[in-house]
């Protein structure tokens, strides 16, 4: 086991060691960490994350969706540019829900992937 394969969220595995994840799953888990960690939340990395949950506390609309899209794109680029190549980030604001779709390629394996997250109601 290497540190890069530790599963998120952290939990003990069946043999009493840290649970591990396949590399592509680990990359997906790292994306979640960037998205859902608010800057200032990590003690030794105060600028880590993009804190998209805060977007729900403002008025949701096209302007907020565009700002959130740029925030996500830049955060992924800053923190995961060695692991992924971001192909696209799409943010749709409807009523009190943000739908975020991220399309990327895992650099190590060359495999494309896409993840969608919904925030709000």
């Amino acid at each position: 086991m290497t540190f890069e394969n530790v599963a998120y969220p952290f939990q003990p595995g069946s043999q009493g060691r840290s649970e591990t994840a396949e590399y592509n799953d680990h990359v997906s888990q790292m994306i979640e960490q960037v998205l859902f960690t608010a800057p200032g939340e990590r003690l030794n990395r105060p600028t880590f994350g993009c804190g998209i949950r805060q977007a729900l506390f403002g008025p949701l609309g096209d302007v907020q969706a565009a700002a959130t899209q740029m925030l996500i794109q830049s955060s992924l680029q800053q923190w995961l540019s060695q692991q992924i190549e971001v192909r696209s980030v799409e943010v749709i604001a409807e009523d009190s829900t943000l739908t975020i779709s991220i399309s990327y390629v895992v650099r190590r394996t060359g495999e494309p992937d896409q993840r969608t997250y919904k925030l709000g109601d």
Side-chain angles (χ1 to χ4, degrees):
M1 177 186 77
T2 63
F3 179 72
E4 70 185 35
N5 293 329
V6 173
Y8 174 81
F10 181 80
Q11 57 191 339
S14 61
Q15 297 181 349
R17 296 183 175 172
S18 301
E19 186 69 42
T20 60
E22 295 295 324
Y23 186 73
N24 287 356
D25 294 333
H26 178 69
V27 168
S28 174
Q29 295 165 1
M30 288 191 298
I31 291 171
E32 288 183 32
Q33 289 179 61
V34 170
L35 292 177
F36 298 110
T37 301
E41 192 173 322
R42 290 200 176 177
L43 184 62
N44 292 323
R45 292 207 173 187
T47 61
F48 180 84
C50 67
I52 59 171
R53 288 189 175 125
Q54 284 298 111
L56 293 173
F57 295 104
L60 293 180
D62 293 340
V63 173
Q64 182 69 18
T68 303
Q69 180 177 341
M70 291 180 67
L71 175 66
I72 292 168
Q73 181 97 26
S74 65
S75 294
L76 291 174
Q77 195 64 24
Q78 178 182 1
W79 295 107
L80 298 179
S81 62
Q82 293 185 2
Q83 289 79 21
I84 63 172
E85 175 188 335
V86 178
R87 292 283 170 95
S88 67
V89 175
E90 182 180 9
V91 178
I92 300 169
E94 288 182 355
D95 300 323
S96 60
T97 303
L98 280 179
T99 303
I100 301 159
S101 296
I102 301 169
S103 177
Y104 61 95
V105 174
V106 179
R107 291 190 189 276
R108 180 185 286 181
T109 63
E111 293 181 34
D113 204 347
Q114 181 171 344
R115 300 291 169 169
T116 301
Y117 307 92
K118 286 192 179 227
L119 293 159
D121 291 337

